[in-house]
Amino acid sequence: MAARNPLWDYQIPPMWDIQRFALEKMKTAYKNNEPGFMNLSDCGTGKTRTIIEFILWLRSIGDYTPVLVLGTRTILQTAWGDDIDKFSHGSLTYSVANATNRRNAFDCDVDFIITNHDAVEWMARPENAHLVEKLRGAIMIVDESTAFKNGLAKRTGKAFWLSGFMRFVVPLTGTPMPQSILDIW
């Protein structure tokens, strides 16, 4: 049995107006079978919590669609795992997939599979086709989505390919235009 995480005892503050607004827009998009929702809220406005609340809402209506999170390698646990523990009080499960445990982390039966941006190239390999198939119809969250701004890059192409298997895609970034409007694709 896993040890109780002290973050489960965290007193959850009320959501901010911007979080409630984004959550309602995301729910509406999902209910209307739209392909996704782009959250471009400013840095530090709680985009991660909004996603967690969205998944908690899905679970509350009986929707157990798996979630794939692509993010920056160095903050997968701190920005996603710790926030999932804190804001769901342990009711949502996750695995963090890095280069050394990726296959095992993807094989887990969890609510969230959290991995780094470069994992899209690993997922596109033929020997991992069963893992992509397992995620068919899933929700894909792309944290720091500007990591995929070069349409000619292999990684960007693989992310676009992977998004075709997903039911709902949510790109997140607080800095949508680092160079020019042409960087948003």
Side-chain angles (χ1 to χ4, degrees), residues 13 15 44 46 53 55 57 90 95 106 109 112 124 144 150 162 175:
M15 291 180 73
E53 295 289 344
I55 302 307
W57 169 76
S95 64
F106 270 77
D109 184 24
F112 289 81
E144 301 300 339
N150 181 350
L162 184 60
T175 54

Side-chain angles (χ1 to χ4, degrees), residues 39 41 43-44 46-49 51 68-81 83 114-118 140-148 155 169-175:
N39 190 337
S41 300
C43 296
K47 292 181 288 294
T48 306
R49 179 173 181 193
I51 295 299
L68 172 66
V69 176
L70 301 176
T72 306
R73 180 183 53 83
T74 56
I75 61 168
L76 299 177
Q77 179 62 49
T78 56
W80 283 96
D83 277 1
I114 307 165
T115 192
N116 64 318
H117 295 128
D118 291 330
M140 184 165 85
I141 310 300
V142 186
D143 196 4
E144 301 300 339
S145 60
T146 53
F148 299 105
R155 183 173 75 172
V169 179
V170 183
L172 306 172
T173 185
T175 54

Side-chain angles (χ1 to χ4, degrees), residues 52-160:
I52 295 164
E53 295 289 344
F54 176 66
I55 302 307
L56 287 168
W57 169 76
L58 286 176
R59 299 308 184 255
S60 76
I61 62 169
D63 186 332
Y64 293 92
T65 304
V67 181
L68 172 66
V69 176
L70 301 176
T72 306
R73 180 183 53 83
T74 56
I75 61 168
L76 299 177
Q77 179 62 49
T78 56
W80 283 96
D82 290 354
D83 277 1
I84 291 168
D85 284 336
K86 183 178 5 176
F87 294 117
S88 80
H89 282 205
S91 66
L92 296 175
T93 58
Y94 65 89
S95 64
V96 176
N98 56 46
T100 61
N101 74 338
R102 201 172 275 150
R103 184 167 310 285
N104 289 338
F106 270 77
D107 279 335
C108 291
D109 184 24
V110 292
D111 295 298
F112 289 81
I113 297 172
I114 307 165
T115 192
N116 64 318
H117 295 128
D118 291 330
V120 295
E121 292 189 53
W122 175 84
M123 292 178 71
R125 294 180 190 160
E127 65 268 21
N128 298 321
H130 69 288
L131 298 173
V132 174
E133 202 52 46
K134 174 183 172 183
L135 290 170
R136 183 178 293 279
I139 296 168
M140 184 165 85
I141 310 300
V142 186
D143 196 4
E144 301 300 339
S145 60
T146 53
F148 299 105
K149 62 186 174 189
N150 181 350
L152 301 175
K154 284 183 187 179
R155 183 173 75 172
T156 300
K158 300 297 184 195
F160 184 70

